[in-house]
Amino acid sequence: MTNLEKAKNILSCSDYTCVVCSDTDVRMSTLRGVAPLIEILDSEIDLSSYSAADKVVGNGAAFLYVLLKIKELYAGVISRSAYKTLTDNNIPVVS
């Protein structure tokens, strides 16, 4: 199972709003909006090897994922502008 599949499965089987996974680490949040991403950004964790799953991704969240250098993203719901922001920054998106 890939990290993206793992993150997506955790997201779909729980009340979490955001999940990020690497080969050795899983971080989950029940915070809403961009709060989980800001919390991760403030922690200065390197997410360049992480995959993420998020219930709803708007353009603000997309820019934060770009700043976090996430490897790939699953979005339950994503805006067109968020999709463009992510793909323009070479972050593969599955919805």
Side-chain angles (χ1 to χ4, degrees):
M1 177 181 295
T2 68
N3 290 328
L4 187 62
E5 292 169 335
K6 184 169 39 171
K8 181 181 174 183
N9 285 341
I10 293 169
L11 184 75
S12 67
C13 297
S14 67
D15 290 330
Y16 296 118
T17 56
C18 178
V19 179
V20 293
C21 293
S22 72
D23 291 337
T24 59
D25 187 29
V26 177
R27 296 176 184 268
M28 300 153 285
S29 179
T30 57
L31 297 174
R32 299 182 64 114
V34 296
L37 303 179
I38 291 172
E39 192 173 80
I40 295 169
L41 193 60
D42 287 344
S43 71
E44 299 182 4
I45 298 167
D46 178 14
L47 294 186
S48 60
S49 65
Y50 282 68
S51 299
D54 200 322
K55 289 199 176 201
V56 179
V57 179
N59 209 26
F63 278 111
L64 289 171
Y65 279 119
V66 170
L67 285 174
L68 290 166
K69 300 178 182 164
I70 204 80
K71 182 178 166 184
E72 57 191 348
L73 174 71
Y74 163 79
V77 175
I78 188 167
S79 70
R80 288 185 185 133
S81 59
Y83 183 85
K84 182 172 179 1
T85 296
L86 292 160
T87 55
D88 284 352
N89 285 278
N90 302 313
I91 297 175
V93 180
V94 177
S95 58

